Amino acid sequence: MPSSRNSETLALTGRILFLTADPGRMAAQLAGQNLTLAGAGALRDDVSTDEITPVAIMSHYDGKLARYPYTGLKLGDERPVGVNALASGGFCVTVAGQRYGKGSSREHSPAAEKLAGIRLVIAASFERIYRQNADNVGLFTSTDLGLVARIQRGEAISIDELVAGRDALAAAILKSGGLLRFGQLHMGAVKASAAPPPTQPQTLFEKIIARHTLETDLTPATPTQGAGLFVRADWRFIHEYYTGMCAHMLHSTFGQPLALQQPASIIVFEDHTSYVASSPAHIAGGLVPNVLAMCQAQRDFAAGYGLRFHRTLTDEEAARDDGSNLAGISHAMMAEHYALPGQLVVGTDSHTPHSGALGCVAFGVGTTDMANAFMTGAVRMTMPASLRIDLNGPLAPGITAKDIVLHLLALPAIRAGLGVGKVFEFCGSAVAQLGIDERATLTNMTAELGGLTGIVAPDARTQAFLRERRGLEFAIERWMRSDPDASYAGHLTLDCARLSPMVAAPGDPGNGLPLDQLGRSVKVDIAYGGSCTAGKREDFDHYHAVLAWALERGLRVPPGVTLYLQYGTTAVRDYCIGKGYDQTFAAVGAQMLQPSCGACANCGPGSSTEAGQVTVSAINRNFPGRSGPGQVWLASPPTVMASALAGRLMSFAALQAGVAARSGCYKKYSWHGLFCLA
């Protein structure tokens, strides 16, 4: 039975669905059995947005979404929730474990839940973007598991109780029925804050926010930690999986044409779908026409409002291109072409923090947040605490930023949620060694760490990047660093000289361990190097270094392994061609792909097609189903290349040692036999 809501209570008269870790108990609920919290057993932790709404159905942005919530949920080897199961089951409350809503910024997840009849999600804890998106569509959330028994007794829950403990802005948005309705009621007068000078030391993040804070009737000029606020963004960007939904939402609410605020600072990217016509997941689901229509809706919106537009090309289109098409993965493009130190950047992608490597504030938002920002110029956020991450060097030989992040993700404190909603400020002598591309790996994967964003103070390397990549001579202003006595919610210190190559086992990026402690041989079917995290120039330097070393010794990718390399942007592609890397990649047997998000989002070659396949990948996340039905191990660019050559998980150092030990043998026996079957 659907739920109803009045001005004082949320009446929840339907059923409660427990996202239990036991597939049998889940199947029983879907068959009609009602459980108690105690009877549900252990609840699933770390439920990702890939599991709530798999990427293959994100071409829907209307009532059709109601058919799909939890269809990607994986319990053991089973996916027990079928199409339309939630709505037909009469559920109005979902209950889950820790860190609910991990992963992408897709607002499709809470929207699908609400459209299917869910009015309240109760979880032990939530990820920041998911919960903010839920607020924005008017879906209530709570971390009070004690509500379960009360709901099952038939109590109507007070809305005031549900919003207690939330910041005042979140509470007001929920009571208004969502962000767009809130904006209509309360955002008629938005102005730049006239905040007084700070009276205490500030972090770089706090300084940038202070320079971008907007004052409204319900938000303060000088927000305190935990307070809701609105900020002005220097850049707002959106991509094809969100634009159609955003346009539909705006035109339905405000009519046409729209009066967009500062359209010159809006950038539209088509970066996920250039290979979707050959994606098995989309073909099998009959979704290719939907995706093409979704892309056309974005193109129409961008053209109709004269917005700046970048589109990645198919292989056939790229072959005809004269080199003038400037395109790539949205957040990588922002760092290459737009973002600057001290600016504020928002985008409809959880990996928007990528640009924080330049010393700007960059974070991901959902569709409604962006729609509101298009109309008002104001971006919603909650003032976060900061963590100082001291990465001390020198870096151990062969260690990359990806190894550092995988180590951080595996720390018990991070896995328990220490970083959720916080700012990660990366500093220390190891960071000073890293180029901007490697720093971008750190800030990019702040999304997996659970944070709002990551940031690195600009320095001489930042200036060199801007000079060499953009031809800009940028003067770093004195304020563009954290004050010595700035306050942090916590410190993490890592001796990078002691690190060894890391991998993360399938299922979650936090399943990290040193590769030399794996204790077993893992055969590899697919190796993938690419994505926003690992499709940058310095990543391709790593790929080339390993593959050129192998080629000099007569080695190639062995039979039974497919290696895909996908450029993050056209600038990276052109850089590799200019350096002659493409010849090495071809000679070793790699399959080259034009810029796109590709396999990382299960949108192209490099994704698995069978459950038994094993992939070693340089992408950022390996949630169930994220990159196909198979198992995905995360690793650094050098480890991915070494594993591709060996046919099993292996670091570059181990590969080199193996060749040295077998220097008289590898010409006599197949490389595949030496390493895969030994």
Side-chain angles (χ1 to χ4, degrees):
M1 181 185 303
S3 307
S4 62
R5 172 185 141 180
N6 60 35
S7 60
E8 298 178 351
T9 64
L10 192 67
L12 301 162
T13 53
R15 300 174 61 205
I16 296 178
L17 178 65
F18 296 93
L19 299 187
T20 171
D22 180 355
R25 287 185 172 99
M26 179 64 73
Q29 293 179 90
L30 297 175
Q33 181 179 343
N34 292 322
L35 301 180
T36 63
L37 181 59
L43 298 171
R44 252 297 306 273
D45 293 327
D46 303 318
V47 174
S48 72
T49 52
D50 284 282
E51 295 177 274
I52 301 171
T53 45
V55 71
I57 59 90
M58 285 178 63
S59 58
H60 299 300
Y61 47 81
D62 52 18
K64 297 183 184 71
L65 282 171
R67 304 177 61 207
Y68 298 105
Y70 313 136
T71 51
L73 183 72
K74 190 171 183 182
L75 305 178
D77 293 328
E78 300 182 31
R79 287 186 170 84
V81 183
V83 172
N84 214 38
L86 202 64
S88 62
F91 298 102
C92 69
V93 178
T94 294
V95 182
Q98 298 280 354
R99 298 190 67 178
Y100 186 81
K102 292 180 77 169
S104 81
S105 60
R106 65 188 70 167
E107 193 170 297
H108 301 68
S109 293
E113 290 169 308
K114 187 177 180 184
L115 287 165
I118 298 298
R119 293 296 174 264
L120 172 64
V121 179
I122 303 172
S125 64
F126 292 93
E127 292 290 290
R128 177 199 67 85
I129 293 183
Y130 171 85
R131 198 172 200 189
Q132 183 160 314
N133 284 341
D135 296 345
N136 291 342
V137 300
L139 175 63
F140 286 87
T141 59
S142 175
T143 56
D144 182 4
L145 291 169
L147 291 174
V148 173
R150 293 171 55 195
I151 293 168
Q152 290 183 320
R153 290 195 298 267
E155 290 186 31
I157 306 301
S158 161
I159 289 177
D160 284 337
E161 181 179 357
L162 289 173
V163 300
R166 303 297 304 281
D167 66 77
L169 179 57
I173 288 169
L174 282 163
K175 288 184 174 183
S176 298
L179 181 60
L180 286 184
R181 178 61 178 155
F182 170 88
Q184 289 177 308
L185 294 172
H186 300 291
M187 296 190 69
V190 178
K191 58 184 179 180
S193 168
T199 58
Q200 58 188 17
Q202 293 181 305
T203 65
L204 174 58
F205 174 86
E206 290 168 336
K207 293 177 182 182
I208 295 172
I209 293 299
R211 286 163 169 78
H212 289 79
T213 298
L214 295 172
E215 193 172 351
T216 71
D217 293 341
L218 294 179
T219 56
T222 54
T224 56
Q225 193 175 112
L229 69 150
F230 288 100
V231 291
R232 170 188 59 82
D234 296 287
W235 298 105
R236 292 161 289 167
F237 73 85
I238 193 167
H239 65 67
E240 68 264 46
Y241 274 109
Y242 295 85
T243 308
M245 187 179 193
C246 182
H248 175 76
M249 185 183 295
L250 288 175
H251 290 150
S252 297
T253 304
F254 300 104
Q256 299 186 56
L258 301 169
L260 301 181
Q261 289 289 317
Q262 298 179 322
S265 68
I266 297 172
I267 308 172
V268 180
F269 292 97
E270 189 174 313
D271 62 354
H272 279 64
T273 52
S274 53
Y275 282 94
V276 78
S278 60
S279 165
H282 291 79
I283 294 170
L287 296 171
V288 174
N290 290 351
V291 172
L292 296 178
M294 176 188 76
C295 292
Q296 189 59 51
Q298 170 169 270
R299 295 173 193 176
D300 293 343
F301 183 79
Y305 291 100
L307 303 178
R308 198 177 319 218
F309 181 57
H310 296 279
R311 180 171 77 89
T312 55
L313 304 179
T314 65
D315 287 334
E316 294 77 12
E317 290 172 323
R320 298 192 301 269
D321 179 44
D322 62 4
S324 62
N325 185 59
L326 190 68
I329 300 170
S330 55
H331 26 292
M333 289 284 289
M334 292 304 299
E336 280 187 356
H337 300 284
Y338 295 106
L340 290 171
Q343 289 189 335
L344 193 148
V345 178
V346 293
T348 55
D349 198 289
S350 59
H351 292 109
T352 300
H354 190 102
S355 294
L358 293 171
C360 65
V361 167
F363 58 90
V365 299
T367 311
T368 304
D369 272 317
M370 189 58 74
N372 182 67
F374 281 178
M375 295 302 295
T376 67
V379 180
R380 178 196 170 195
M381 63 174 290
T382 300
M383 193 65 181
S386 292
L387 297 175
R388 181 183 170 100
I389 314 299
D390 283 297
L391 303 177
N392 298 322
L395 286 173
I399 297 303
T400 70
K402 184 64 169 291
D403 296 299
I404 295 172
V405 175
L406 292 180
H407 178 90
L408 292 172
L409 280 161
L411 295 176
I414 293 294
R415 296 214 63 177
L418 174 67
V420 172
K422 294 187 176 68
V423 177
F424 283 71
E425 182 178 325
F426 296 98
C427 50
S429 55
V431 175
Q433 283 184 248
L434 298 175
I436 300 303
D437 284 351
E438 283 284 85
R439 294 178 186 182
T441 298
L442 299 177
T443 58
N444 175 292
M445 290 191 66
T446 301
E448 284 65 43
L449 291 164
L452 168 74
T453 192
I455 193 167
V456 180
D459 60 9
R461 287 185 180 269
T462 314
Q463 292 173 307
F465 177 92
L466 294 172
R467 184 184 310 114
E468 294 163 9
R469 306 283 181 97
R470 296 200 217 164
L472 292 179
E473 292 294 339
F474 186 86
I476 298 173
E477 298 179 37
R478 292 184 61 185
W479 66 268
M480 292 180 178
R481 62 181 183 274
S482 292
D483 295 328
D485 297 322
S487 176
Y488 296 89
H491 289 76
L492 292 175
T493 302
L494 181 60
D495 182 358
C496 295
R498 301 180 63 181
L499 290 181
S500 61
M502 296 285 296
V503 292
D508 194 279
N511 295 337
L513 73 163
L515 182 50
D516 59 12
Q517 295 179 20
L518 184 57
R520 61 189 175 95
S521 178
V522 176
K523 182 179 178 295
V524 168
D525 302 295
I526 301 168
Y528 178 84
S531 80
C532 57
T533 305
K536 309 180 296 298
R537 282 192 189 185
E538 291 185 44
D539 300 310
F540 274 83
D541 289 339
H542 288 305
Y543 300 143
H544 181 263
V546 177
L547 297 178
W549 173 91
L551 200 59
E552 288 172 357
R553 289 154 181 79
L555 310 177
R556 289 172 48 88
V557 176
V561 178
T562 306
L563 169 61
Y564 297 93
L565 290 175
Q566 187 158 29
Y567 306 112
T569 67
T570 51
V572 174
R573 179 198 63 198
D574 297 344
Y575 166 80
C576 290
I577 292 172
K579 299 277 283 187
Y581 289 179
D582 57 322
Q583 299 174 40
T584 300
F585 299 150
V588 84
Q591 295 193 26
M592 302 307 300
L593 300 169
Q594 292 295 319
S596 178
C597 290
C600 181
N602 201 15
C603 287
S607 302
S608 61
T609 56
E610 301 173 11
Q613 290 177 314
V614 175
T615 300
V616 59
S617 182
I619 64 176
N620 40 55
R621 50 182 62 145
N622 58 349
F623 300 130
R626 171 74 184 184
S627 191
Q631 302 292 301
V632 178
W633 290 77
L634 301 182
S636 70
T639 297
V640 171
M641 294 304 99
S643 301
L645 292 163
R648 63 182 175 93
L649 290 182
M650 181 174 289
S651 70
F652 186 30
L655 183 65
Q656 291 172 306
V659 168
R662 298 167 174 83
S663 58
C665 301
Y666 73 85
K667 292 183 180 178
K668 180 178 179 181
Y669 302 104
S670 74
W671 185 246
H672 191 266
L674 270 173
F675 285 96
C676 272
L677 307 179

